[in-house]
Amino acid sequence: MSIQAQQTDQDGTTVLLDVGGMTCSSCAARIERVLRRIDGVHAEVNFATEQASITHSADTTVGDLITAVEGAGFTASVHAPVQAESGPAADQAEASRSADPLWQRLVICAVLTAPVAAMGMIEPLQFRYWQWLSLALAAPVVVWGAWPFHRAALLALRHRTATMDTLVSLGVLAAFVWSLFTLFFGYAGVTGMRMPFTLRPTAGFSLHHIYLEVGSVLTVLILAGRYAEQRAKRKAGAALRALMELGAKDVAVLRNGAETRIPVDELAVGDVFVTRPGERIATDGRIISGNSAVDSSMLTGESVPVEVGPGDEVAGATTNTSGRLVIRASHVGAATKLAQITRLVTEAQAGKAPVQRLADRVAGVFVPVVIALASVTFGGWLAAGAGIELAFTSAIAILVIACPCALGLATPTALLVGTSRGAQLGILIKGPEVLESTRKIDTIVLDKTGTLTTGIMTVAETIVAPGEDPAAVLTIAAALEDGSEHPIGRAIAAAGRATAVPLPVVTGFASVQGRGVQGTVDGEFTVAGQLSWLADTGFPAVGELLDAQAWAEDSGRTAIAVGWGGRARGLLVIADTVKPESVQATAQLRRQGLWPVLLSGDNALAAKAVADEVGITDVHARIGPAEKADFVRRMQAEGHVVAMVGDGVNDAAALAQADLGIAMGAGTDVAIEASDITLVRDDLRAVADAVRLSRRTLATIKGNLFWAFAYNVAAIPLAALGLLNPMIAGAAMACSSVFVVSNSLRLRRFMPLDHPMVAAAPASDRAPQLVAVE
């Protein structure tokens, strides 16, 4: 297995280890303590994902880290990216429930425990030698069925620590040993003995009471909870696994004019491959020939297939829905967009939210405190004269009910599900700390070009003098500008080429710096450029064109005049087109309680025109790259918590300065690296979805932690007061963990705002109606 590590900074390297053998967050805390004892090592161990994210110095090798983890009693291996389903891991993942060792152990123990519980709880079933049959059935359950807990407890003891398994093992063995004592040295073994069952422990001293049903039922309940927890955690990561398994298995490569089918792992940059309708595109590349519609819904969350053709870039793992495409590979392996997405999500899930650190600190000392509390309770009841039965059952109830499983699962499971669901929707949350930022933001700063607008100049309108044909004016202007390298010239040429008429041939082409272009089209000397330059050159304009130019300038657009035959014939209005979804996106951001601010390097008229179109009133124009970061800093100094949305190199400083940086996926690598959230699809509406998902995930984490803490705060005193039967305590403990994981799984149902189900819901159900004050 290759070591998958990445350089994080000049002082350290980060490696991700898969850790096996953890049973609760106390185990994670112990591994962290062991790793942090190594000089130059910082480690974060995530119980839910069973991974350790470790930053270490050059003096420490990955082998040293693995040795340290194994020395603590766990297994460790370098994390390898999940590939398409194949091999033993995939077979196990897809295996039927009956082949699961934990499920087999649970079923056997449940079958053996059922008669034990029935005889212990229903007095009429207690026949002449029932207690000895109970012992015969309960012994395999307590010894073999609970062996994973006993083994983990012994391992922890060997390392002078305690975990959840210590509590379970102590509770189960205590009930069993006491039962053996009363059977062989007390009166429980007397032929014909009857034992009434009560939900609450009773005071007094009795050597005829056995607790075989307690030990057996506890084992079954905790095994059932562990199994349900395991299944739920697998569901929690299902979205990410589905994403990682999207890639094609093989690909048809064109070599020497013939198609050769090879495994996708053998594909190299520059290879030309074929993708037919219905097939997944093997890797990132650029289309050489063919036209089709590509479905990228699993990768970007975009539900509508996008039309593509020669020159367009496509991403690996997306689906070709119609035509045959010939593609040249531009990125393969770990460099593909899919691989980068899965890496970002995996790293985010391996981290810890600030709120989780408190839970981890509590869980790290929780088990020893619980053991001490159980001992004090046992001694206290004896000292109070309540008798050994009440003291014993109360102590066992405390040991069982106080297991910190729910506490350790509260944060990582919600983070696991939330980030995986985000990846499905094209929202990449880079780390758990980001969640806290989304809760606090009140202002969102939007870059104009490429964020609110397409960033591509287009011909918005063609205005002609009386008697002229708009199509002819556009065609002649496009023919003239076809030789220009200016963005405006390219926009005009593209608009002309989009018509069915071939562009006329131009001779004598010349560009006049800062004014326009000129040449001969169809034997007629033609000019295109500023209207004032046309007038100076001998091509005056009529009143309609002068009025149109004034209107274009007032609206922040650029007007290019076209003239031949001694006068101006028409005016082409050029604009950076607002994205169709930008109006809806800004409205959604307002509903999230965010105040939108527009920043632009363009002139005030152009910026205001875009702002008016999308519904933003707070506009700042002529803002350079450095000034964008200064603007964000000033907003923060005024007490605002600022999110910044951008896509270009000039936005990177502001993205890094903002409390929350959001990069559009179509932007530059610099902008994406500087951001906290990356939107894979180039759709501003995803910003509101990213904020909603982050806030929902954070709310789920806090809800989980509340119930996990509340459960222990309420349950331990009840157990200490002798108000809980140990079996009820075991059921409550198992249910608390399942509840926390199930609550996190609700995040899988998160839908974007433009989903029909969400769009049809009342506004109060979609988002909080907060009023932002300018």
Side-chain angles (χ1 to χ4, degrees):
M1 180 184 297
S2 63
I3 292 178
Q4 185 194 23
Q6 68 180 76
Q7 200 71 23
T8 54
D9 52 47
Q10 57 183 349
D11 298 320
T13 300
T14 293
V15 65
L16 195 62
L17 298 183
D18 292 325
V19 180
M22 291 191 294
T23 58
C24 67
S25 54
S26 297
C27 299
R30 184 161 95 245
I31 296 170
E32 284 185 354
R33 287 196 299 271
V34 168
L35 289 170
R36 288 174 180 176
R37 291 190 193 124
I38 304 173
D39 290 338
V41 170
H42 175 76
E44 289 186 343
V45 181
N46 192 314
F47 168 51
T49 60
E50 298 180 333
Q51 291 177 339
S53 178
I54 308 168
T55 302
H56 61 94
S57 64
D59 297 331
T60 303
T61 67
V62 175
D64 295 334
L65 302 174
I66 292 176
T67 300
V69 175
E70 291 176 343
F74 304 90
T75 62
S77 60
V78 178
H79 176 74
V82 176
Q83 303 296 331
E85 291 189 9
S86 61
D91 295 339
Q92 183 179 359
E94 294 302 318
S96 65
R97 209 167 46 171
S98 60
D100 188 335
L102 180 57
W103 172 255
Q104 293 173 345
R105 189 180 297 266
L106 172 60
V107 170
I108 294 172
C109 289
V111 170
L112 294 174
T113 297
V116 176
M119 289 185 289
M121 299 168 65
I122 304 173
E123 194 170 347
L125 296 179
Q126 296 173 0
F127 60 93
R128 189 173 179 84
Y129 298 106
W130 73 273
Q131 67 271 47
W132 298 106
L133 177 61
S134 292
L135 176 61
L137 294 173
V141 176
V142 170
V143 178
W144 173 79
W147 175 245
F149 311 126
H150 304 324
R151 179 181 177 279
L154 288 171
L155 198 60
L157 181 63
R158 201 175 81 191
H159 291 88
R160 299 178 183 179
T161 186
T163 68
M164 181 208 87
D165 294 296
T166 304
L167 301 180
V168 174
S169 180
L170 283 174
V172 170
L173 288 177
F176 186 66
V177 170
W178 173 261
S179 300
L180 290 177
F181 177 78
T182 58
L183 280 168
F184 290 100
F185 302 102
Y187 306 109
V190 175
T191 301
M193 184 271 288
R194 294 292 185 96
M195 184 183 72
F197 176 78
T198 58
L199 287 176
R200 288 176 54 185
T202 56
F205 180 81
S206 174
L207 287 179
H208 77 273
H209 204 115
I210 59 175
Y211 292 93
L212 293 172
E213 80 282 2
V214 171
S216 300
V217 171
L218 279 179
T219 300
V220 170
L221 285 173
I222 296 169
L223 284 174
R226 184 75 61 86
Y227 178 73
E229 180 185 304
Q230 173 183 289
R231 298 271 295 181
K233 285 199 294 183
R234 177 157 184 83
K235 288 182 181 177
L240 181 59
R241 283 193 302 275
L243 191 69
M244 290 188 284
E245 292 163 1
L246 278 178
K249 310 298 185 298
D250 51 27
V251 57
V253 180
L254 283 179
R255 290 177 178 169
N256 301 321
E259 292 185 21
T260 304
R261 204 114 198 142
I262 63 171
V264 73
D265 293 342
E266 297 179 10
L267 198 62
V269 173
D271 282 346
V272 176
F273 61 94
V274 176
T275 304
R276 290 181 170 77
E279 292 183 341
R280 293 197 184 277
I281 295 174
T283 193
D284 298 357
R286 187 179 297 275
I287 296 174
I288 298 175
S289 65
N291 292 276
S292 181
V294 172
D295 179 4
S296 58
S297 55
M298 273 299 290
L299 194 63
T300 68
E302 180 61 55
S303 58
V304 179
V306 178
E307 296 291 334
V308 294
D312 290 334
E313 292 184 353
V314 289
T318 55
T319 303
N320 177 19
T321 64
S322 51
R324 179 180 182 271
L325 296 176
V326 179
I327 305 167
R328 186 182 302 279
S330 58
H331 299 89
V332 297
T336 63
K337 183 174 287 188
L338 175 64
Q340 291 170 352
I341 290 173
T342 53
R343 177 181 60 81
L344 285 172
V345 176
T346 302
E347 289 174 358
Q349 292 175 349
K352 290 187 179 181
V355 71
Q356 184 184 346
R357 302 184 195 282
L358 172 61
D360 284 350
R361 285 196 296 270
V362 172
V365 299
F366 198 70
V367 174
V369 170
V370 167
I371 294 174
L373 185 58
S375 302
V376 170
T377 298
F378 182 78
W381 279 118
L382 287 180
I388 194 169
E389 184 174 334
L390 179 59
F392 182 74
T393 52
S394 298
I396 291 179
I398 289 177
L399 289 174
V400 174
I401 204 165
C403 293
C405 276
L407 203 59
L409 291 168
T411 296
T413 52
L415 186 64
L416 179 68
V417 182
T419 52
S420 295
R421 179 57 179 153
Q424 281 186 316
L425 298 174
I427 300 168
L428 304 183
I429 302 171
K430 285 197 174 178
E433 296 83 1
V434 173
L435 303 177
E436 195 68 30
S437 300
T438 60
R439 181 181 66 84
K440 299 176 181 177
I441 58 173
D442 55 33
T443 303
I444 186 158
V445 177
L446 304 170
D447 175 56
K448 180 181 77 69
T449 304
T451 302
L452 286 170
T453 67
T454 61
I456 302 172
M457 303 299 288
T458 58
V459 177
E461 195 167 350
T462 302
I463 303 171
V464 296
E468 299 294 339
D469 178 16
V473 170
L474 175 60
T475 300
I476 292 173
L480 194 59
E481 293 283 9
D482 198 32
S484 173
E485 292 298 323
H486 194 279
I488 291 178
R490 290 200 298 269
I492 295 172
R497 282 195 300 270
T499 64
V501 180
L503 297 181
V505 177
V506 178
T507 58
F509 173 82
S511 176
V512 180
Q513 186 67 32
R515 305 302 295 274
V517 294
Q518 61 187 31
T520 301
V521 182
D522 291 337
E524 189 81 56
F525 181 70
T526 308
V527 293
Q530 299 174 9
L531 200 58
S532 58
W533 177 60
L534 262 69
D536 294 342
T537 313
F539 297 88
V542 295
E544 289 88 340
L545 296 184
L546 294 172
D547 294 340
Q549 183 188 36
W551 164 81
E553 291 176 349
D554 289 344
S555 62
R557 302 180 176 186
T558 301
I560 299 296
V562 184
W564 67 85
R567 61 189 178 92
R569 305 285 179 153
L571 206 66
L572 304 176
V573 180
I574 312 299
D576 180 4
T577 309
V578 172
K579 294 178 182 177
E581 64 272 9
S582 292
V583 177
Q584 184 182 1
T586 53
Q588 290 174 351
L589 293 172
R590 286 181 183 276
R591 285 199 296 270
Q592 294 294 316
L594 304 177
W595 179 251
V597 178
L598 175 62
L599 291 189
S600 176
D602 283 349
N603 61 70
L605 288 174
K608 189 175 185 307
V610 171
D612 289 343
E613 188 170 346
V614 300
I616 297 177
T617 57
D618 196 350
V619 187
H620 301 267
R622 298 292 185 189
I623 302 290
E627 293 168 319
K628 287 183 180 180
D630 291 338
F631 178 86
V632 172
R633 200 174 291 112
R634 286 199 305 273
M635 295 286 290
Q636 291 169 327
E638 293 172 6
H640 295 286
V641 182
V642 182
M644 171 73 192
V645 183
D647 73 323
V649 174
N650 61 341
D651 300 320
L655 288 168
Q657 175 62 40
D659 298 284
L660 179 69
I662 303 175
M664 304 295 285
T668 64
D669 290 341
V670 176
I672 292 171
E673 285 298 321
S675 66
D676 301 305
I677 295 177
T678 299
L679 307 179
V680 178
R681 59 188 170 117
D682 195 19
D683 187 337
L684 191 61
R685 290 175 297 185
V687 174
D689 291 329
V691 173
R692 285 175 57 243
L693 177 59
S694 298
R695 288 177 172 176
R696 185 81 58 84
T697 304
L698 182 64
T700 301
I701 288 173
K702 291 187 173 181
N704 285 348
L705 286 172
F706 170 79
W707 287 111
F709 275 113
Y711 155 80
N712 281 293
V713 168
I716 291 177
L718 290 175
L721 292 172
L723 300 176
L724 282 180
N725 184 286
M727 288 190 293
I728 298 175
M733 188 276 289
C735 288
S736 67
S737 297
V738 175
F739 168 79
V740 163
V741 179
S742 300
N743 187 47
S744 299
L745 287 174
R746 294 191 307 137
L747 288 167
R748 295 196 304 170
R749 299 197 298 266
F750 177 88
M751 294 294 181
L753 284 169
D754 58 354
H755 190 277
M757 291 178 60
V758 180
S764 58
D765 295 338
R766 295 195 301 266
Q769 298 298 300
L770 304 179
V771 178
V773 180
E774 184 175 1

